[in-house]
Amino acid sequence: MVDQNKIILMTKMARYENKHKKQDEKVAEYFIEDYIYINNFKTRLGITFITLCFIGYGAVKIVMEGMIFPTSTWHFIDVYIKPYFYPWLIGIVLYTILSSIVYGREHRKSTKRLGEYKDLAKALRKHEKGYSNNEGATDEIKDEI
């Protein structure tokens, strides 16, 4: 005889295992603060790399248009770095806020899905335990001592 409740529970668990389980387990390994911090660091590193590419492109452009040799460190900063500092700072702040929101939401969803999966596993064990207690022949004679 087929137990429909067991099949439903197992189907839900299998669907979750195929779609989300590996990723959710990786995410749930971290506390939410650590997960957000790691991903914010990656975001900031990416923005800094992109800004450095723009600085390099701007330096090549300045050299091609007319050679400007800085006479001091401050002159170098004014010519080559200062035009990119404020856009970099604004990008860092905006994308850090955006990254915190996105990865915080992702962590909460993953943790919630993993919790629901564990609840399904508990329900399946409970169902199997209850089902195994009810098994047996109806005409079975119990030994009474």
Side-chain angles (χ1 to χ4, degrees), residues 5 31 34 57 65 71 73 75 85 89 109:
N5 291 331
F31 290 112
D34 296 336
Y57 175 74
E65 288 177 358
T71 56
T73 305
H75 185 245
F85 177 74
L89 187 62
K109 283 182 181 179

Side-chain angles (χ1 to χ4, degrees), residues 50-99:
I50 291 169
T51 303
L52 289 173
C53 290
F54 278 114
I55 288 172
Y57 175 74
V60 169
K61 187 176 174 184
I62 289 172
V63 168
M64 293 296 185
E65 288 177 358
M67 293 294 269
I68 299 177
F69 291 105
T71 56
S72 69
T73 305
W74 293 111
H75 185 245
F76 174 78
I77 291 172
D78 284 341
V79 171
Y80 292 101
I81 296 176
K82 194 174 182 181
Y84 302 98
F85 177 74
Y86 290 112
W88 170 79
L89 187 62
I90 291 169
I92 289 286
V93 170
L94 290 178
Y95 279 100
T96 297
I97 293 169
L98 184 63
S99 175

